[in-house]
Amino acid sequence: MVLFQKIINQKLNNISVEELMQYAKQFNVSIERTQAAEVVKAMNGKNINIFNVNERKQLLTKIARITSQQTAQQVNQIFQKFTN
């Protein structure tokens, strides 16, 4: 299980704008390319652990500031699919 968590966290901490746009489309999350670029900038290299509730909340707060509260909630639903 720990290996699975590391793989997911590594992927998210190194995600590209293109990959984020593809995931957004796949999970029906509305995000503009400029917003995706800001989200990627907020995530890349930060070693965020989405399995840690506090770290995930901090990231979602940043995402809400960049995009919208609704988008952050949708992203959280996606995170929950990966973490549960």
Side-chain angles (χ1 to χ4, degrees):
M1 186 65 166
V2 173
L3 178 63
F4 180 69
Q5 290 178 0
K6 286 183 180 184
I7 291 169
I8 290 173
N9 284 325
Q10 182 179 10
K11 182 64 176 172
L12 289 175
N13 285 296
N14 294 302
I15 195 165
S16 71
V17 174
E18 282 302 316
E19 290 170 321
L20 182 56
M21 294 298 293
Q22 289 174 354
Y23 285 126
K25 184 177 181 179
Q26 180 180 346
F27 291 105
N28 295 318
V29 175
S30 177
I31 188 169
E32 296 177 16
R33 181 170 292 282
T34 55
Q35 293 172 325
E38 288 296 317
V39 169
V40 166
K41 185 177 174 182
M43 292 173 56
N44 280 353
K46 303 295 191 292
N47 294 321
I48 298 165
N49 179 0
I50 66 161
F51 294 89
N52 179 297
V53 175
N54 291 329
E55 289 185 38
R56 186 171 64 231
K57 283 182 182 179
Q58 288 176 354
L59 175 60
L60 291 168
T61 300
K62 288 179 187 178
I63 291 172
R65 276 188 255 136
I66 294 167
T67 59
S68 69
Q69 185 64 36
Q70 181 182 8
T71 300
Q73 288 172 348
Q74 291 174 317
V75 170
N76 189 41
Q77 289 175 354
I78 295 169
F79 286 169
Q80 287 176 348
K81 288 180 184 179
F82 288 122
T83 58
N84 290 331

